[in-house]
Amino acid sequence: MKRYTSRATKLLAIAALICGAVVLIGIILAFAGIENIELPICLILMGGLLGIIFFSCFLAEKSRTLIMDTDRVIFPRGAEINGKIVFQKTVVRICDIGSVESKFHKGDKLISDDCFFYTLRLKDGTSVTVTLYAYGKEAEKEIWETIQSSIV
């Protein structure tokens, strides 16, 4: 079993830890009794508020883990099944995959970048469309090659 996490997960964890350190520094400065009390209050407030935002984003990204097993692939929420977005994890058994295809999507370079949409056509007629861009180019290639090679 192999797990793939988003590239943003690590950055959000680091940002949340930095915000936690800023709050801690603000608390230490407040108890140190410095004359300028506005600085520790500002550090505590800004570090706390940004820390809550970064930590909640970290938890959201952490839940987007893609899991590949020998007999199934568990896609995170946001996969498209027959054209409708599903907001829960999608489990696809590898033996149920009939064919696979990838479609290049040109991004606008402002909001979105170039990426591939991968469509898995199951033997029962269902199509599952996912993007693997968030996991990085190396992981995207590895995931797609593993799925393609396991189809009989």
Side-chain angles (χ1 to χ4, degrees):
M1 180 166 73
K2 187 152 184 175
R3 293 178 170 268
Y4 296 93
T5 57
S6 170
R7 294 175 294 176
T9 307
K10 184 189 242 183
L11 296 174
L12 289 168
I14 291 170
L17 287 174
I18 289 172
C19 288
V22 168
V23 169
L24 188 63
I25 290 170
I27 292 171
I28 291 171
L29 288 176
F31 283 114
I34 64 170
E35 282 184 31
N36 187 5
I37 194 66
E38 292 88 13
L39 177 65
I41 291 173
C42 183
L43 288 175
I44 292 169
L45 288 176
M46 292 303 289
L49 292 175
L50 289 175
I52 290 169
I53 292 170
F54 284 130
F55 187 68
S56 60
C57 290
F58 164 74
L59 291 177
E61 278 297 313
K62 191 165 173 58
S63 72
R64 295 204 49 194
T65 302
L66 184 139
I67 301 170
M68 288 195 72
D69 210 345
T70 55
D71 61 338
R72 65 186 175 154
V73 180
I74 302 173
F75 292 105
R77 66 189 189 288
E80 238 180 64
I81 299 177
N82 292 333
K84 294 183 181 177
I85 295 177
V86 178
F87 293 106
Q88 61 187 11
K89 292 186 182 227
T90 304
V91 179
V92 177
R93 293 173 42 96
I94 293 190
C95 63
D96 292 341
I97 301 173
S99 65
V100 294
E101 63 184 53
S102 64
K103 181 180 176 187
F104 180 74
H105 181 268
K106 184 93 170 139
D108 60 5
K109 303 288 187 209
L110 215 57
I111 296 173
S112 63
D113 203 3
D114 298 343
C115 66
F116 284 93
F117 285 87
Y118 299 102
T119 303
L120 310 172
R121 304 225 184 263
L122 305 182
K123 294 177 181 172
D124 66 357
T126 307
S127 67
V128 178
T129 304
V130 295
T131 59
L132 304 173
Y133 176 77
Y135 304 104
K137 291 189 183 287
E138 298 287 323
E140 179 178 2
K141 185 178 177 183
E142 183 180 329
I143 293 166
W144 188 241
E145 287 176 354
T146 303
I147 291 172
Q148 280 184 320
S149 66
S150 60
I151 296 176
V152 178

